[in-house]
Structure formats: structure tokens, C-alpha cells
Amino acid sequence: MKTYIFPGQGSQAKGMGEGLFEAFPDLVAKADAILGYSIKRLCLDNPEGKLRYTQYTQPALYVVNALTYFKKLRDGAPKPDFLAGHSLGEYNAILAAGGFDFETGLMLVKKRGELMSQASGGAMAAVVGLTEGEIKGVLVNNRLTEIDIANLNTTTQIVISGNKDDIDRAKLYFEREGADYIPLNVSAAFHSRHMQEAKEEFEQYLREFSYSELTIPVISNVTARPYNPAEIVPNLAEQLRSSVRWTDSIRYLIRQGGMEFEETGPGSVLTKIIAKIKVEPPVNQQRGSVGVRVTKSIDRKEEDTEGQAEFKRKIDTAFQKTTEWNQVYPIGTKVTCKGYEDVLITRTEAQVLFGHRAAVYVEGYNGYFALDEIRVV
């Protein structure tokens, strides 16, 4: 069993794609026409340092990832059993599975990069050394409730996303817990609730295109499970504001048995991350240990403590609800949902959104329902 994995932002580098552009002149010409500039020159020469800007990084990586995959097939490599991509890389996974053609994927990525580059006022930081539950404990105990978890790269390598002032303020609290805190060079709060406006605009754009059935299972960043039919648009739209559940995705693939991973694109970032996931002990990332390790938080007024306690109770209740639901009801459960007469089918496990809301996604509906709003048929 083999999975091809496609990298996202962070893997770009001057010189990437060398030798590929000459091998696929027709695709390179199409890319230049769509983008309005030379993709080869951008990747090989990085004029004016443009590769560090999101609106250039994303098309560049998409093209190099795609040409790398096409070169593998041309050289006789068999198609994989599964496909997965980290954030932007998911577009290459869908391309490889036949969900859209090269040009459509590039137009989508171009629009995505433009929208993300226009977002401002946000920031992101990598927190290394704490689990998801421990990170949520720090956020709750220090009233940083506007920060979301953006990327679950490994059990203890996690990226958070939020307003810049909150991200800057959070540094002290995480370092008090012994974590390494690494601000990222981005201008917006990607993969968080703060991308809602971009998500809505992008979804409208996504609906202007047609999509084909996936011929190879693609693992969704949003659900950490294979795409269901007709799920491309809601998944790619939701991906802008949802966590990249990379650890859960890789663990799902590993459970399929005898899985090999092959990074298909520039660099080896994902290969190194997967090697770490394989040796880390499994951790229930949804529940973690909220509030257990957080013993060094700055003292606050009594009313703050009461507010924290109330918010923590909401979190504990949400985690209890999702745990109980997932123990009884599998993906594909028939349900009725508040405000809808038709019977719907769940397309994800129950999960905690925004740190405190127990919810589940259903087929045919672009969004989630709180567990309190649904009934099993």
C-alpha cells in the first residue's frame, strides 16, 4: 500500500522544479497564460523574493507538485492507493485523483492564494512540546479564546492562529509551560475562524467549476478521512478556516496496514513529520489534558477565575458529548437536523469546534450541526 503526499506552504525554495518545466512545455505554457507570468522563472530565480508571498507561493507549489507527480507516472511509477496533501497540497491530491484538470486546479489555487494574501491583522505560531489538550488548557486559562488551532502536524508540533495581538501575548504563557514558541512569517490567521469572510467568497468561486468523481481515495484535511462523493466544494471552502488534521490523517492511513508514504514535491518536510508521527505515542488529541499541565498561569482576579472555570466546564461538556457520540454512532449515521425535514447522513465523526462546541458535519450541507441540534433516525 502506498500514499503519495503533497506538501504545502513552507516547502517552497528557490530552484524548485528544476528539470521539470522542460519536460512538460504544454502545461507550463498553460500555467503562464493563467497566471500572467513565467512560472519557471518564479520557481528557479525567485525574482524580488516573490516566493515568500502567498499569492505566488501557492501557484508555484501547485505546479511543481503536479509536474513531479506527472513525471512519476511518465517514468512508469504505478498510481498510489491513497492520496493526501497538507493544506495547499490537498489540491494536488484531488488533481491526481481526477477531481479536476491541471488548469482548473491552478485557477482555484490562484484565487485561494489571492484571497489569503488579502487577509490581514492575524498571525500564527508553532507550539512545540505540548499536546492539543495542553495547548487548549493554556488558551482557556489565560482567556485567549480567540485563538484557534490551525495545524495538528504531530502530537506535539501544533500551529495556532489568531489576531496578532493575541498571538504575541500568548508567547509568555506557552513558554511558562516549557514549550518552544515560534512565530511564523505570515500576515493572517490562516485555518481559523478569522478566515470566514475569505471562506465564503472562495466557496462562491469554487461553485463556478465542475468536478469529477475521485478515482483514488483522497484524505481530507478537515475530516482526516477519505472524501465522500460531492464533497469537494464544501471541503475546500471549509479548509480555509478549519484545522489541518494532519496527524489524524496519517494515523488513519497507517491503520490501513503496511502503508508506505512518498512525498511528491519539493523538499522533505512531510516525510520528516510522518517519521515523527510514527514514533510518537498516540494521544487523544481531541480531549488531551485540558487544564492539567497549566500550573504556571499568571494570577488573575476572582471573577476571571470564575469565567475560566465556566468556560472549562463548557469544554469538558463538549468533549464528553463527542466522546459518547463517537462510541455509539459511526460515520454514515442517519439523522434529522434542526430546521431540516429530510433525513441526512453524517460525514464525519463528532468533533469539538472552536474549543467548546460539540458538532458533526453531514452530507449535502455546507457546514456543521451542533450535536444538540440532531436526532438519530
Side-chain angles (χ1 to χ4, degrees), residues 137-145 290 294 297-316:
V138 173
L139 298 177
V140 169
N141 286 1
N142 295 288
R143 306 296 291 273
L144 294 164
T145 55
V290 177
V294 188
S297 299
I298 293 176
D299 291 335
R300 296 185 176 277
K301 295 179 181 179
E302 183 176 348
E303 58 267 27
D304 287 343
T305 302
E306 291 176 355
Q308 293 167 20
E310 175 61 25
F311 194 75
K312 285 170 66 177
R313 279 194 291 272
K314 291 182 179 179
I315 289 178
D316 288 338

Side-chain angles (χ1 to χ4, degrees), residues 50-105:
K50 288 182 176 179
L51 277 177
R52 71 177 182 271
Y53 298 114
T54 297
Q55 64 267 42
Y56 292 102
T57 304
Q58 296 196 18
L61 279 171
Y62 171 84
V63 170
V64 172
N65 286 351
L67 298 187
T68 302
Y69 177 73
F70 294 148
K71 182 68 162 52
K72 284 180 182 291
L73 298 185
R74 178 181 288 185
D75 291 344
K79 289 190 175 183
D81 301 289
F82 290 89
L83 294 156
H86 191 284
S87 191
L88 167 79
E90 190 166 299
Y91 289 77
N92 290 104
I94 294 171
L95 169 67
F100 44 61
D101 60 21
F102 174 81
E103 299 97 302
T104 297

Side-chain angles (χ1 to χ4, degrees), residues 111-299:
K111 181 68 170 180
R112 181 181 190 265
E114 290 170 352
L115 288 173
M116 292 176 70
S117 70
Q118 292 165 8
S120 61
M124 302 174 74
V127 180
V128 181
L130 299 181
T131 66
E132 181 185 6
E134 291 163 347
I135 288 173
K136 287 179 177 177
V138 173
L139 298 177
V140 169
N141 286 1
N142 295 288
R143 306 296 291 273
L144 294 164
T145 55
E146 294 298 310
I147 291 178
D148 291 340
I149 290 179
N151 297 348
L152 292 152
N153 290 330
T154 76
T155 304
T156 56
Q157 181 184 321
I158 295 170
V159 177
I160 59 174
S161 184
N163 294 321
K164 188 177 188 307
D165 289 345
D166 287 339
I167 293 295
D168 290 343
R169 188 161 59 93
K171 178 180 174 69
L172 169 66
Y173 303 117
F174 282 107
E175 289 184 341
R176 283 174 179 266
E177 296 305 314
D180 292 325
Y181 193 82
I182 307 165
L184 303 184
N185 185 24
V186 297
S187 60
F190 302 146
H191 295 296
S192 78
R193 77 192 84 169
H194 305 286
M195 296 298 293
Q196 178 65 27
E197 185 176 341
K199 179 243 179 186
E200 292 174 357
E201 183 174 346
F202 188 48
E203 184 168 9
Q204 294 302 313
Y205 186 74
L206 285 164
R207 295 192 183 281
E208 296 177 11
F209 298 85
S210 59
Y211 305 90
S212 301
E213 193 77 18
L214 302 179
T215 59
I216 303 171
V218 174
I219 306 303
S220 163
N221 285 182
V222 175
T223 66
R225 293 293 186 273
Y227 270 71
N228 286 333
E231 205 174 38
I232 291 178
V233 169
N235 256 283
L236 292 182
E238 185 65 23
Q239 191 210 55
L240 279 184
R241 52 155 294 152
S242 292
S243 301
V244 175
R245 297 176 59 191
W246 190 248
T247 304
D248 289 344
S249 297
I250 297 305
R251 291 201 185 282
Y252 171 84
L253 289 165
I254 290 173
R255 289 197 298 271
Q256 306 312 303
M259 187 63 70
E260 297 179 5
F261 297 91
E262 188 169 330
E263 191 159 359
T264 307
S268 57
V269 170
L270 296 183
T271 300
K272 293 174 182 176
I273 287 176
I274 290 173
K276 187 173 182 181
I277 292 172
K278 287 180 176 179
V279 300
E280 284 183 329
V283 172
N284 185 339
Q285 289 196 349
Q286 281 199 328
R287 179 154 182 91
S289 50
V290 177
V292 173
R293 276 187 63 166
V294 188
T295 57
K296 306 175 187 177
S297 299
I298 293 176
D299 291 335

